Amino acid sequence: MIQRLSERVTIYTGFWGEQAAQKRGMHMLIEISVLIMAIAVVVLVVFLIQTLREAQASIQTANETLRETKELVHQSKEDVQELMKGVSELIHQVNQQVGAVEPLMSSVRNVGTAVNEVTAAAKEASAAWSGSLKRQAALNAEKASAISSWLNWLDTAARTYQTAKGLLEQTKRASNAAAKQQFASASAAVDNKQRG
């Protein structure tokens, strides 16, 4: 019986010893696992810190670029506003100049009309003079005396010439006077617009 008891104690102690060894092995395995997990967490934290630093540097660079872009846009906006102001002033000046030149162009048109009228009057005078010469020549041919007909013809030609010359000078004077008057009124209008 004692022997049986000692066998049983050995069996129990062996059983309990195995369980204790297993518990110690498990404990050790758990401790190693916790150590590996701690090391893994430290490595992960180190990599995360590096990644976060790189992200922070990228964000800071992006912020600087955005600030520079804002400054450039603001400066460009000011430049464009100045350019638009200059263009607006230039357009206003061009409109004033066009308004000032318009009366002058109207005067030039009126002078052109007056010159056309003078030309028409000169054509009529020339036609009348030519008809007068033809009639006088026909009359002179009928006259008996060659010398007296020549003298009459020369007299008629001289009178016709004097009449045509007077008529042309009169139309030139009238045309020049009208042109000067229109030019003076156009110049006055241009001066008034430029002063105003």
Side-chain angles (χ1 to χ4, degrees), residues 3-88:
Q3 201 176 5
R4 270 193 193 168
L5 193 55
S6 77
E7 282 178 13
R8 280 189 181 174
V9 169
T10 308
I11 292 175
Y12 286 133
T13 55
F15 175 74
W16 290 109
E18 278 181 33
Q19 274 189 343
Q22 280 181 349
K23 277 187 179 182
R24 270 184 278 156
M26 282 290 252
H27 252 308
M28 205 177 228
L29 190 61
I30 290 174
E31 288 175 0
I32 291 173
S33 297
V34 168
L35 181 64
I36 290 173
M37 285 180 8
I39 291 172
V41 167
V42 168
V43 169
L44 180 65
V45 167
V46 168
F47 282 119
L48 282 175
I49 289 173
Q50 286 179 349
T51 304
L52 288 175
R53 283 184 181 166
E54 290 174 6
Q56 184 180 10
S58 297
I59 289 171
Q60 187 176 5
T61 304
N63 284 338
E64 289 175 10
T65 305
L66 184 62
R67 185 173 16 90
E68 290 172 2
T69 304
K70 283 181 181 178
E71 290 173 3
L72 183 63
V73 165
H74 183 68
Q75 185 179 12
S76 298
K77 181 182 174 185
E78 290 175 357
D79 291 344
V80 166
Q81 286 175 343
E82 288 178 22
L83 179 65
M84 291 301 293
K85 190 176 185 181
V87 167
S88 177

Side-chain angles (χ1 to χ4, degrees), residues 8-189:
R8 280 189 181 174
V9 169
T10 308
I11 292 175
Y12 286 133
T13 55
F15 175 74
W16 290 109
E18 278 181 33
Q19 274 189 343
Q22 280 181 349
K23 277 187 179 182
R24 270 184 278 156
M26 282 290 252
H27 252 308
M28 205 177 228
L29 190 61
I30 290 174
E31 288 175 0
I32 291 173
S33 297
V34 168
L35 181 64
I36 290 173
M37 285 180 8
I39 291 172
V41 167
V42 168
V43 169
L44 180 65
V45 167
V46 168
F47 282 119
L48 282 175
I49 289 173
Q50 286 179 349
T51 304
L52 288 175
R53 283 184 181 166
E54 290 174 6
Q56 184 180 10
S58 297
I59 289 171
Q60 187 176 5
T61 304
N63 284 338
E64 289 175 10
T65 305
L66 184 62
R67 185 173 16 90
E68 290 172 2
T69 304
K70 283 181 181 178
E71 290 173 3
L72 183 63
V73 165
H74 183 68
Q75 185 179 12
S76 298
K77 181 182 174 185
E78 290 175 357
D79 291 344
V80 166
Q81 286 175 343
E82 288 178 22
L83 179 65
M84 291 301 293
K85 190 176 185 181
V87 167
S88 177
E89 290 175 5
L90 181 64
I91 288 172
H92 181 69
Q93 289 175 357
V94 167
N95 286 338
Q96 284 181 340
Q97 294 296 325
V98 167
V101 170
E102 192 172 324
L104 180 64
M105 295 308 287
S106 176
S107 296
V108 168
R109 259 184 264 130
N110 291 340
V111 168
T113 303
V115 167
N116 283 339
E117 290 173 1
V118 168
T119 303
K123 283 182 182 179
E124 289 176 13
S126 174
W129 182 63
S130 176
S132 173
L133 283 179
K134 287 179 184 177
R135 281 191 305 271
Q136 192 64 31
L139 289 173
N140 286 339
E142 295 176 3
K143 290 191 179 185
S145 168
I147 295 176
S148 74
S149 70
W150 275 105
L151 288 176
N152 286 336
W153 187 80
L154 283 176
D155 185 38
T156 303
R159 275 189 262 141
T160 306
Y161 173 74
Q162 290 298 326
T163 304
K165 183 179 175 184
L167 181 62
L168 283 174
E169 287 178 0
Q170 186 180 15
T171 56
K172 281 184 184 179
R173 276 188 247 125
S175 173
N176 286 340
K180 285 180 183 178
Q181 183 181 6
Q182 289 176 350
F183 184 76
S185 66
S187 294

